[in-house]
Amino acid sequence: MQTRYNKAFRDLTSDYSKNFMLILAIAIGVFGIGSILGGYGVIKREMTDNYMSTVPASATIEMEESLTKSLVDSVRQFPGIKEAERHATLVARMKVGEKWYPLLLFVVDDFKNKKTNKPFFVSGEHEPATGAMLVERTAFVVMQANEGDELVIKTPNGHPQKVKLSGTVHDPGLAPAWQEQTGFGYITLATLHQLGEAQGFDQLRILVSEQPLSRQHITERAQAVGEWLKQSNHSIHEIQVPPPGKHPHQSQMSAVMSIFIVFSFLILILGSILVATSMATLMVKQVRQIGVMKTIGASSTQITTLYITMIVILCVVALLIAIPLSRLAASLFYNQIAVLLNIEIRNNSIPYWVPLLQIAAGIIIPLAAAAFPVIRGSKISVRNALDNHGVSQKHFDENSWAVKFSKLSVFSETFRLSVRNVFRQRSRLTMTLGLLAAGGAMFMTAMNVSEAWNKNLKRIYVQRLYDLEIKLNNPIHADSIIEKIKSIKGVKNVEGCNQASTSVSKSNSVEVTNTYPDKGHGSFTMQALPVPTRQLNLTLAEGKWLNNSKANDVVLNQNARGSFKIGDGISLSLDGKPTVWTITGFTEDVGAPATAYVSLEVFSRLTNTSGQAKVLRVSYFDRSKENAIRKNREIEKLLEKEKISVSATIPVWLLQNAIAAHMKVLINSLMAMAILMAIVGTLGLMSTMSMNILERTREIGVMRAIGATPGKIRNLVVWEGLLIGALSFFIAFAFALVLSTFLGRFIGNMAFRTPLSLTISVVALIVWILLIVIGSYVATLYPARRANKITTREALAYE
Amino acid sequence: MSHEQNKNLIELSQVTKSFPLASGTFQALKEVTVNIQKGKLVAITGKSGSGKSTLLNVIAGIDKPTHGSVLINGVHVEKLPESALATWRGKNIGVVFQFFQLLPTLTILENVMLPMDFCNSYPKKDRKERALSLLNLVNIKEQADKLPSALSGGQQQRAAIARALANDPPIIIADEPTGNLDSQTATSIFELFAALTKAGKTVIIVTHEKDFSGYFEDSISIADGVVVNEVVNA
C-alpha cells in the first residue's frame, strides 16, 4: 500500500467515535433506501404475480337473467375471446356475535375447473358441499370463527341459516376482509338456492385472447360480446372492466411507495449533508497536515484523492452495515404490506437493482456532498494551511447584529460569547441549520400529515350526520318503518333514500364500469336523497347542493368528477337505461366511492319507485361507537321483527375503521421516517459542535488559562448547541408548513381524491422542541467534555 | 572552493511580497535581492515580524512574490503553477518546521517515506530502505516504527530532517528548527545541518539563536522587510 493511504487508513481508525457517526449517517440513508426500495421491489413484483396468477377476468358482463352452459360455450367461440365462465356474486349478511356484517358470496360454477379469478386452496374442503362455504383466509377474523365452525348467514330473500365453513382459500384479487370489514365466501349454486335465493349465474366472465392488458381492446371485445348477447335477446345490466393487470390497491400502493422513496432519498441527502459537515470538520483538523503534505511535495490532486479515499472507505463500511440490515427491514416491510394487500410472498428475493442503487447512492451522494469541503481543503495554499490556527476572525465586527444582540444586558458573559461563537462560521452554521431544519421540517411534516389524516377521517362524522346506513334488498314503502325506528329512544332522525349502481352512459352501447369483482373497488353509485336531506352535510367544492326536488340536477363527488364542469349535461345509466342530468355542484366526500347525488323524487319517477326507499339512514343523539353498537342492534331486531329484507347495515364507525385500516401502514411508516430524521438531525448538531470545539481548542486553552472553569466552558458549549437548535426550529417550522401542505395534498388526493387540510400538530411542535433541547444538550456534552479534558498546556500548544 | 561551488544556487532579485490586511497593504519584503551559493549553511536573522520567514517561504515557493524573481537551480519558481510547484518543492526543497509537523497517524518511517510517495521519486521497493538509511543518518533508526507522539522533541526534529532529505533535495530550509528544543538537543541538530552542508546540501535556517552563529558560513539580516546586512564568506 502506498504510504499516503496508510495515513488515510490510520486517520480513519484513530477517531472511532467521529467516524462511527459518519458511518451511521451514511448507513441510515442507505438503510432507508434499501428497506423501502427492497420492500417496494418485492411487493411490486409479488402483487402483480399474485394477482395475475388468479387469472383475473378481463371483463365481467352482468346479465339480467341466468346464463346457460350452452350460452357460455357459444361465448367461448366468440372471436377474440379465450375463455368464458359463468358466475354470480351476491351481497348477503353474516351474524357475528349480535352484530350483522356484510358478506360477499361468490357463487362458483365449477370449483375444480375454475377458469377466472381463481382462489388458491389453503386447507379443508376443495369444493364445498351444499350448505357449506369456503372462506377467504382473511375473513375468519371478521367472522370471529375458524374453519369447521358454522356461521349464520342471511341472503336478501332467505332466512338466517347456518352454513359450515368447510375450507379456506386465498384470493389475492381481494383486499383483506378485515380491511373492508366484510366477509368473503365461496359457495355452489345449490347452496345459494338452499339459502333462499332463486337466482342462477348472472355474470359472464371473459378472458380476451389478445392484448390482455389493453383496456381499450378488452372494452371493445366485451362490448362486442354484449351486443351479440343483446341481439340474441339477452338483457345486459352492465359490463365491468377493472383496470387490466392491476391489483385493486395497486395505484394506491404505488403512490404510497413513491412517498416513502422520496423520504428515504431525503434521509440519504440529509445523511450526506452530515457527511459534508463532518468532512469539513476533518478538513479543519487536517488543514495544517495538508500544508505539511503540500510542503513535502503533495499535489492538490493527490490530497483530494487521499481524502476521497477516506470517504469511500467510510461509505463502503456504511454499505456493509446498511445493506444486510436494510434487507432485513425490507423483509419486515414487504411482509407487512403483503398482509395489507392480502398477497403471498412466493419469491422473497430483493431485485438486484436495489443493492446496486444503494451502492451507487451510498457512495455517489456522500461523495458529492463532501466534494466541496474536500476540494476546498485540498486547494488551500501551503501558506494558508501552515498559518491556520483555527477559526477565522474575518466575519466579526462590532456592528454585526449578532454582536449587538449579545450585548443586551440581560445576557450573561458566557451567553454573550455563545451567541457570537454561533455566528463565527457562517457557512457551517448554514449547513447545520439546514440539516437540523430539514430533519425538523420532515419530522413535523410527518406528524402534521398524520394528524391531518386523522382529522380528515373524523370528517366522516361531520359529513355523515347519520350513524347507521341500512341497505334493503328491495325498495319498500318506508313511512311506517321510519316512524317505528324514530320511536326508538335515542334515535334523532331517520331518512329513506335510494341508490343504484350507475355509469356514464354512451349512446347505444352497453354500459361499461371499472368495478372489480368485489363490487366495491372502482364502482360508481347514484344516491337518491330527499331534497333537502338532513343526513348528509357534504363539503361543497364548487357549485351548489341539490335544492330542487323536481329538477334533474346532479352533484358529483370528487371520485366521479372527471373533467366535467358545472352546467354540463351528463347521461347516467339507471337500470341499464340512459338518464339525463345537469351538473350543479361538486363535493369532496371522505370515504365514498364515485357517487352521483340526485333528487329522490326524480330518481323514483325514473325508476317507478315513487314513495319507496331502498336505503334507510338513521342518526342518534349520542354518536359514540358504544351507543351506535347498542342502537344498531335494537334497529336490527326491529327490522327482523318487521320482516324487512336487509342487504347490509353499515355503521359509520365501521366505515371509518375500514378507511383507517387502508392507510395505517402509510401513517406508521411516516412516523418511522420522522424518527430517522430526528436521529440524523441530532447527529448533525453533534458533528457541528464537535467541529466548533475542535477548531477552538487553542482558544479554550486561553480561556482556561485566564480562569474559565470547566463548568463555564461546558455552559458555553451547551448554550451554543441550544442556540443553534432554537434557530433551526423556526426554519424547520416554516419549511414544515410548506411541506405539510404539499404532502397533505398528495396523500389526500391519493386516498380521498381531495387534499388534506393543513394541520399543525401541537404534539409535533412540543416533541421537536424537546428533541432539539435534549438533542442539543446531548450533542454538546461530548465536545464539552473533550474540551475540558484537554489540559490548559495541551490546548495552548495545540496546532 | 571550486568555481562550481561558488555558483549561486538561489537568486532573489528585487523581491517584494505584500499582504492585504484590513488596515491596508503590508509589505513583508521590500525589493529584496539575495544570492545564496550551493553547499552553504546560511542563517536568516531578524526580529519577529521582520520578514525572515516570508523570505524563507518565498524561497520554498510557499509564498509567491508580489514583484521580482526567484531563480532556484535555474528554475523561475514564481512562474511555476501551483500544481507543478508542489512536485518541484518536493524534489528540490526539504522543509523543516519549528514544531516538526510530523503527521501524527503515520510512524516515523512512514513519515519519511511519504515525500517519496508523493513525488514518486524512488522505486517503491527502495523507499523503505532509503527511509531507514536517512533515519540512521539522523540517529533515530530504532524509533522507525513508533508514532511521532512517542518521541522526544529532539527526536521528532531529527525525523523531520530525515523527511526533508527524503527526496534528496539540494536545498534544506528550516524555520527556527531549534526554537522548541533544549540547548543540548539544539546543538546536535545544528551539527546535523552542518554535516549536511558538508555533504553538498544548501541549508538555510531562520533563527533567533545567537549561540549557534559559529555554524553559519553566510548570514542575511532582515529588518522591516529589507536586507540590512548580508555576510557572504567566499
Side-chain angles (χ1 to χ4, degrees):
Chain A
M1 195 194 289
Q2 286 175 301
T3 313
R4 72 188 92 151
Y5 294 116
N6 284 345
K7 173 180 160 45
F9 184 71
R10 303 263 176 75
D11 283 353
L12 284 173
T13 51
S14 65
D15 192 346
Y16 283 112
S17 57
K18 183 93 195 160
N19 293 321
F20 171 74
M21 204 162 72
L22 282 176
I23 290 167
L24 189 65
I26 303 170
I28 286 175
V30 173
F31 170 81
I33 286 183
S35 324
I36 301 294
L37 287 182
Y40 173 72
V42 172
I43 284 293
K44 193 169 182 240
R45 181 188 62 219
E46 294 299 306
M47 182 159 63
T48 306
D49 285 359
N50 266 250
Y51 182 57
M52 295 311 285
S53 66
T54 66
V55 197
S58 309
T60 299
I61 301 172
E62 284 205 346
M63 315 286 291
E64 302 285 358
E65 63 204 33
S66 299
L67 286 146
T68 59
K69 269 200 168 164
S70 61
L71 186 61
V72 175
D73 290 340
S74 305
V75 172
R76 215 172 272 135
Q77 307 305 318
F78 201 83
I81 300 300
K82 187 172 150 193
E83 194 54 79
E85 189 176 50
R86 56 184 190 164
H87 190 85
T89 308
L90 188 82
V91 181
R93 295 199 300 155
M94 57 185 185
K95 198 170 187 183
V96 179
E98 288 302 307
K99 283 183 268 177
W100 285 96
Y101 280 83
L103 169 68
L104 201 58
L105 286 174
F106 299 108
V107 188
V108 178
D109 188 15
D110 184 351
F111 274 90
K112 280 181 187 150
N113 294 302
K114 195 153 173 29
K115 310 282 189 217
T116 63
N117 299 81
K118 298 192 277 190
F120 296 98
F121 168 76
V122 177
S123 61
E125 284 184 357
H126 283 247
E127 188 174 349
T130 303
M133 175 169 84
L134 302 187
V135 176
E136 211 293 322
R137 62 179 190 177
T138 57
F140 283 110
V141 180
V142 188
M143 292 171 175
Q144 292 175 22
N146 296 309
E147 191 182 296
D149 291 352
E150 288 185 327
L151 186 74
V152 176
I153 288 175
K154 187 185 174 308
T155 56
N157 301 304
H159 302 291
Q161 286 184 49
K162 280 186 179 171
V163 171
K164 190 182 176 192
L165 311 179
S166 62
T168 307
V169 293
H170 168 218
D171 191 342
L174 295 173
W178 48 263
Q179 212 172 61
E180 306 294 327
Q181 300 287 316
T182 300
F184 298 129
Y186 301 79
I187 56 171
T188 59
L189 190 63
T191 305
L192 183 67
H193 291 158
Q194 196 183 67
L195 287 167
E197 297 299 317
Q199 74 165 85
F201 295 108
D202 58 359
Q203 291 175 327
L204 177 65
R205 286 180 172 172
I206 55 168
L207 282 175
V208 293
S209 51
E210 287 164 10
Q211 302 178 51
L213 298 178
S214 162
R215 183 174 160 79
Q216 191 188 348
H217 176 73
I218 293 169
T219 306
E220 279 169 16
R221 285 294 82 209
Q223 280 181 325
V225 173
E227 287 304 323
W228 176 78
L229 287 167
K230 274 168 91 175
Q231 282 164 17
S232 313
N233 294 322
H234 298 287
S235 300
I236 293 172
H237 175 59
E238 70 174 28
I239 297 174
Q240 297 161 353
V241 182
K246 276 192 172 176
H247 187 278
H249 286 167
Q250 185 148 324
S251 52
Q252 217 173 7
M253 193 46 60
S254 298
V256 170
M257 288 293 187
S258 64
I259 294 177
F260 289 161
I261 290 165
V262 168
F263 262 81
S264 54
F265 268 97
L266 283 175
I267 291 177
L268 183 63
I269 288 169
L270 278 188
S272 301
I273 295 174
L274 180 55
V275 173
T277 57
S278 303
M279 281 314 292
T281 317
L282 191 73
M283 298 315 277
V284 165
K285 195 174 173 182
Q286 299 261 327
V287 73
R288 282 182 74 85
Q289 291 192 27
I290 290 171
V292 172
M293 286 191 283
K294 282 195 160 184
T295 307
I296 61 172
S299 65
S300 296
T301 312
Q302 285 174 324
I303 289 178
T304 306
T305 313
L306 189 70
Y307 289 102
I308 293 288
T309 306
M310 286 170 73
I311 300 167
V312 171
I313 293 172
L314 289 174
C315 293
V316 169
V317 176
L319 286 169
L320 288 174
I321 296 167
I323 291 178
L325 286 176
S326 68
R327 294 177 86 86
L328 194 70
S331 73
L332 293 174
F333 187 55
Y334 62 64
N335 281 320
Q336 176 74 18
I337 301 277
V339 171
L340 291 170
L341 290 174
N342 192 23
I343 60 172
E344 194 72 37
I345 305 293
R346 294 164 187 163
N347 172 5
N348 64 2
S349 63
I350 288 173
Y352 70 92
W353 53 265
V354 174
L356 285 183
L357 193 75
Q358 280 179 288
I359 291 168
I363 290 180
I364 292 168
I365 296 178
L367 266 185
F372 178 67
V374 166
I375 291 171
R376 193 179 59 175
S378 304
K379 287 208 162 158
I380 191 169
S381 72
V382 179
R383 169 68 183 227
N384 287 337
L386 294 175
D387 279 354
N388 186 279
H389 288 285
V391 68
S392 149
Q393 305 291 325
K394 67 181 176 185
H395 286 305
F396 261 80
D397 69 76
E398 289 171 5
N399 296 319
S400 86
W401 70 268
V403 173
K404 283 180 181 166
F405 170 72
S406 63
K407 278 183 176 172
L408 291 175
S409 57
V410 291
F411 299 140
S412 69
E413 289 302 324
T414 311
F415 186 76
R416 274 178 205 175
L417 195 54
S418 297
V419 171
R420 292 177 201 182
N421 282 338
V422 164
F423 292 96
R424 278 170 87 169
Q425 285 284 2
R426 291 190 188 167
S427 58
R428 188 184 311 148
L429 175 69
T430 309
M431 201 136 75
T432 311
L433 284 178
L435 183 71
L436 270 179
M442 284 187 245
F443 177 83
M444 286 190 262
T445 299
M447 296 273 282
N448 286 348
V449 170
S450 170
E451 200 163 305
W453 170 266
N454 287 330
K455 209 163 124 184
N456 208 43
L457 266 184
K458 282 183 187 149
R459 278 174 67 205
I460 287 180
Y461 280 98
V462 177
Q463 294 191 342
R464 288 166 176 77
L465 302 175
Y466 60 89
D467 297 283
L468 178 67
E469 185 176 76
I470 304 157
K471 289 183 179 175
L472 307 176
N473 282 312
N474 303 301
I476 57 163
H477 289 279
D479 293 348
S480 144
I481 189 70
I482 286 174
E483 286 310 314
K484 283 178 182 162
I485 295 173
K486 271 184 181 171
S487 67
I488 294 175
K489 197 181 169 193
V491 171
K492 186 178 175 188
N493 202 2
V494 187
E495 217 171 69
C497 29
N498 213 327
Q499 69 176 41
S501 70
T502 186
S503 67
V504 178
S505 52
K506 293 173 186 130
S507 56
N508 297 327
S509 63
V510 183
E511 179 187 348
V512 179
T513 68
N514 297 331
T515 314
Y516 277 89
D518 65 6
K519 296 213 163 218
H521 293 91
S523 64
F524 185 10
T525 309
M526 183 183 281
Q527 280 197 21
L529 312 165
V531 178
T533 174
R534 282 180 291 177
Q535 300 285 37
L536 282 179
N537 177 32
L538 300 175
T539 309
L540 205 60
E542 198 184 335
K544 57 182 186 183
W545 183 240
L546 302 170
N547 60 7
N548 184 348
S549 62
K550 297 186 189 312
N552 279 39
D553 291 342
V554 63
V555 173
L556 301 176
N557 74 359
Q558 73 276 17
N559 293 318
R561 182 170 182 165
S563 56
F564 290 111
K565 297 186 296 293
I566 301 289
D568 281 357
I570 181 171
S571 177
L572 296 171
S573 66
L574 203 51
D575 288 343
K577 292 171 202 138
T579 55
V580 179
W581 307 83
T582 304
I583 299 170
T584 62
F586 297 110
T587 60
E588 285 178 351
D589 305 358
V590 182
T595 308
Y597 299 99
V598 299
S599 155
L600 177 64
E601 196 176 324
V602 178
F603 180 93
S604 301
R605 195 178 67 226
L606 291 169
T607 53
N608 292 322
T609 52
S610 287
Q612 295 178 5
K614 208 181 168 187
V615 175
L616 299 174
R617 285 173 173 161
V618 187
S619 58
Y620 307 129
F621 287 107
D622 176 1
R623 303 200 72 187
S624 68
K625 183 182 167 185
E626 295 71 28
N627 181 62
I629 290 173
R630 273 197 308 274
K631 293 294 155 198
N632 293 353
R633 213 172 291 152
E634 284 182 48
I635 292 171
E636 298 256 8
K637 276 183 185 158
L638 175 70
L639 293 169
E640 253 180 81
K641 193 177 143 200
E642 295 294 320
K643 298 194 179 354
I644 290 170
S645 175
V646 175
S647 121
T649 52
I650 306 164
V652 171
W653 65 261
L654 194 73
L655 185 70
Q656 192 192 19
N657 282 5
I659 298 167
H662 272 73
M663 299 300 274
K664 195 176 147 199
V665 67
L666 169 68
I667 302 302
N668 289 348
S669 303
L670 272 178
M671 294 311 297
M673 298 278 178
I675 291 164
L676 280 182
M677 296 289 173
I679 294 172
V680 176
T682 314
L683 282 177
L685 184 62
M686 207 181 280
S687 163
T688 300
M689 290 314 299
S690 299
M691 184 154 38
N692 285 350
I693 302 305
L694 184 73
E695 67 183 10
R696 294 211 308 269
T697 303
R698 198 183 176 90
E699 197 174 290
I700 287 168
V702 174
M703 286 194 285
R704 295 267 296 279
I706 60 171
T709 60
K712 283 267 181 203
I713 303 280
R714 193 188 55 238
N715 288 347
L716 184 78
V717 175
V718 169
W719 270 121
E720 272 183 60
L722 289 174
L723 276 168
I724 294 173
L727 273 175
S728 78
F729 172 77
F730 294 108
I731 303 167
F733 181 67
F735 274 122
L737 289 183
V738 179
L739 268 176
S740 303
T741 307
F742 281 103
L743 197 62
R745 196 174 291 173
F746 180 75
I747 293 180
N749 280 330
M750 187 184 73
F752 302 116
R753 290 272 187 102
T754 169
L756 297 180
S757 58
L758 176 64
T759 303
I760 296 165
S761 163
V762 180
V763 177
L765 286 178
I766 294 169
V767 170
W768 189 249
I769 288 172
L770 281 176
L771 268 177
I772 281 291
V773 172
I774 297 167
S776 305
Y777 184 73
V778 172
T780 49
L781 272 187
Y782 172 71
R785 220 179 100 227
R786 189 185 170 280
N788 276 326
K789 260 172 81 175
I790 300 174
T791 64
T792 307
R793 198 196 144 278
E794 281 171 339
L796 287 173
Y798 184 82
E799 285 292 321
Chain B
M1 204 171 280
S2 69
H3 173 73
E4 184 63 26
Q5 278 175 315
N6 287 337
K7 190 183 168 190
N8 290 332
L9 183 66
I10 300 166
E11 292 179 8
L12 270 70
S13 177
Q14 297 288 305
V15 169
T16 297
K17 176 64 187 175
S18 308
F19 293 104
L21 297 177
S23 52
T25 303
F26 170 71
Q27 280 203 326
L29 293 176
K30 297 168 189 165
E31 298 184 344
V32 169
T33 296
V34 165
N35 294 323
I36 296 172
Q37 291 172 352
K38 188 181 174 190
K40 292 281 189 77
L41 179 58
V42 183
I44 300 177
T45 58
K47 289 180 179 172
S48 186
S50 60
K52 56 187 188 304
S53 292
T54 306
L55 180 62
L56 205 65
N57 287 341
V58 166
I59 293 170
I62 291 170
D63 278 332
K64 283 204 169 191
T66 314
H67 298 293
S69 72
V70 181
L71 187 67
I72 298 178
N73 215 7
V75 175
H76 274 283
V77 178
E78 82 279 6
K79 290 179 183 167
L80 288 176
E82 192 65 33
S83 53
L85 200 55
T87 313
W88 173 84
R89 192 188 303 116
K91 287 183 174 172
N92 291 280
I93 311 271
V95 183
V96 179
F97 301 92
Q98 181 181 356
F99 290 102
F100 331 127
Q101 304 292 3
L102 295 168
L103 299 187
T105 53
L106 292 183
T107 62
I108 296 300
L109 179 69
E110 287 166 338
N111 262 288
V112 179
M113 287 166 70
L114 193 62
M116 295 183 254
D117 180 14
F118 281 138
C119 296
N120 209 12
S121 52
Y122 288 89
K124 264 186 199 172
K125 61 181 173 53
D126 298 341
R127 288 177 191 164
K128 187 175 177 186
E129 197 183 330
R130 175 168 171 76
L132 283 169
S133 73
L134 288 170
L135 289 173
N136 191 39
L137 181 75
V138 297
N139 290 324
I140 52 164
K141 191 180 175 186
E142 64 280 9
Q143 315 292 341
D145 293 324
K146 291 182 181 167
L147 288 174
S149 56
L151 269 62
S152 70
Q155 286 173 320
Q156 286 195 50
Q157 196 59 298
R158 282 169 182 275
I161 292 168
R163 182 180 66 183
L165 294 167
N167 287 326
D168 195 21
I171 302 163
I172 306 290
I173 63 170
D175 194 352
E176 303 198 31
T178 54
N180 211 29
L181 303 174
D182 61 74
S183 62
Q184 199 180 343
T185 314
T187 304
S188 70
I189 294 293
F190 268 102
E191 280 170 0
L192 193 55
F193 282 133
L196 289 174
T197 55
K198 284 200 177 76
K201 303 286 179 198
T202 303
V203 180
I204 307 162
I205 299 173
V206 165
T207 184
H208 280 305
E209 310 203 37
K210 293 196 168 60
D211 296 351
F212 303 109
S213 57
Y215 285 96
F216 296 107
E217 295 167 80
D218 297 349
S219 70
I220 300 161
S221 292
I222 295 188
D224 299 327
V226 177
V227 175
V228 290
N229 190 22
E230 188 176 3
V231 178
V232 179
N233 295 305

